[in-house]
Amino acid sequence: MGMEGLLQNSTNFVLTGLITHPAFPGLLFAIVFSIFVVAITANVVMILLIHMDARLHTPMYFLLSQLSIMDTIYICITVPKMLQDLLSKDKTISFLGCAVQIFLYLTLIGGEFFLLGLMAYDRYVAVCNPLRYPLLMNRRVCLFMVVGSWVGGSLDGFMLTPVTMSFPFCRSREINHFFCEIPAVLKLSCIDTSLYETLMYACCVLMLLIPLSIISVSYMHILLTVHRMNAAEGRRKAFATCSSHIMVVSVFYGAAFYTNVLPHSYHTPEKDKVVSAFYTILTPMLNPLIYSLRNKDVAAALRKVLGRCGSSQSIRVVTVIRKD
């Protein structure tokens, strides 16, 4: 592409937002901001609990802490800009800012795809091969899984971001979305992008199929193992171990399936924005809540920390009273 095309692409874009002309922007801001605060707080608390409590220093919780790190970064990619646009008349985003948003979004969503698949493998080893669990899920393997997830996600970002942003944009600069999602950006291109969209569709399906295959095979073996168990306590423990992960996978992959797998005939700009809001805003909030509410170890660690804080506060109050 020549210098003229590069200069043309260097101008800013305009994000129309989740709702193009909201009747109550203040109310929408309050709702989104509340979700954002809860998501950040819940994920940071989850990370700190796993770091502080020795009982949570296991492969499962190490992977869970990485999921919380991804969710924290993930929601920070889109929501702060969305909140800014709700309060400001200037809803522009620079060409570079849009490219960075696309790259980080693709990296994080791809990383979560792979990480959730590897977390299913962790549950498979824990339920089906408990005696070999310390060997098969040692620290080196866990680090390899995490690095592999980040690298796998970033490959998607490195492949798709430069190609997407290299198209000439000679139509309206208004992106009918609240962030730079690739399908919404491609609609501004003045050349045919159908071949690229087909290749991107195949890439996204592949990104989904690899972790989904790991998840399906892992849980098939888990179900067979649980079915052979005679003790009801063993079945209950196995179900408790896997239920939170199954819920998170269902929520995340359900939205991803709509976005990346369903044909274009099923898509409308309004539906796309709602689904995108679900997995970019709500999912990062739901993931730590699902794990904390349904996991006894995490709940116990939280009570322990809160108990320490309460005890420290009581000691300070007693000390102040005695001094007086």
Side-chain angles (χ1 to χ4, degrees), residues 245-291:
H245 181 257
I246 292 172
M247 290 181 67
V248 169
V249 166
S250 300
V251 169
F252 192 74
Y253 277 85
F257 182 85
Y258 169 86
T259 304
N260 300 300
V261 178
L262 287 184
H264 290 293
S265 57
Y266 288 87
H267 291 252
T268 63
E270 289 71 26
K271 285 181 182 178
D272 288 348
K273 286 193 283 187
V274 170
V275 174
S276 295
F278 181 79
Y279 67 77
T280 58
I281 302 173
L282 287 177
T283 301
M285 179 190 72
L286 291 174
N287 288 351
L289 294 179
I290 290 170
Y291 271 101

Side-chain angles (χ1 to χ4, degrees), residues 170-191:
C170 52
R171 295 178 185 174
S172 168
R173 289 282 166 169
E174 282 193 353
I175 299 174
N176 189 11
H177 217 298
F178 61 91
F179 75 102
C180 291
E181 193 170 39
I182 290 180
V185 174
L186 290 178
K187 288 178 182 176
L188 306 184
S189 177
C190 51
I191 63 172

Side-chain angles (χ1 to χ4, degrees), residues 14-34:
V14 177
L15 297 169
T16 60
L18 179 60
I19 301 173
T20 306
H21 300 292
F24 303 100
L27 177 61
L28 182 59
F29 176 90
I31 293 170
V32 175
F33 181 73
S34 300

Side-chain angles (χ1 to χ4, degrees), residues 27 38 63 103 108 110 141 158 170 207 244 246 259 263 270 310 319:
L27 177 61
V38 172
L63 296 176
F103 173 76
L108 269 297
V141 172
F158 279 119
C170 52
M207 289 281 287
S244 298
I246 292 172
T259 304
E270 289 71 26
T319 304

Side-chain angles (χ1 to χ4, degrees), residues 195-226:
L195 176 60
Y196 171 60
E197 289 182 57
T198 302
L199 293 173
M200 185 177 67
Y201 173 83
C203 178
C204 291
V205 170
L206 184 63
M207 289 281 287
L208 277 169
L209 284 179
I210 293 173
L212 267 179
S213 299
I214 298 172
I215 292 168
S216 301
V217 172
S218 296
Y219 277 107
M220 183 179 69
H221 284 285
I222 289 171
L223 287 173
L224 290 173
T225 302
V226 170

Side-chain angles (χ1 to χ4, degrees), residues 33 58 70 72 100 110 114 133 208 211 317:
F33 181 73
T58 64
M70 286 184 176
T72 303
V100 170
F114 288 119
Y133 186 73
L208 277 169
V317 171

Side-chain angles (χ1 to χ4, degrees), residues 36-111:
F36 178 70
V37 170
V38 172
I40 294 293
T41 304
N43 280 293
V44 170
V45 167
M46 181 70 76
I47 295 165
L48 292 175
L49 285 177
I50 293 170
H51 176 73
M52 293 166 59
D53 197 303
R55 292 175 298 178
L56 303 182
H57 293 174
T58 64
M60 181 181 81
Y61 292 111
F62 174 71
L63 296 176
L64 178 57
S65 70
Q66 298 304 308
L67 181 66
S68 290
I69 291 171
M70 286 184 176
D71 280 335
T72 303
I73 301 172
Y74 191 35
I75 197 170
C76 290
I77 294 170
T78 56
V79 173
K81 174 60 179 169
M82 179 184 178
L83 292 172
Q84 178 190 333
D85 290 347
L86 285 170
L87 296 178
S88 172
K89 291 183 179 179
D90 181 17
K91 303 179 188 299
T92 60
I93 183 171
S94 67
F95 179 84
L96 179 60
C98 191
V100 170
Q101 203 173 57
I102 289 173
F103 173 76
L104 292 176
Y105 158 75
L106 290 173
T107 298
L108 269 297
I109 196 171

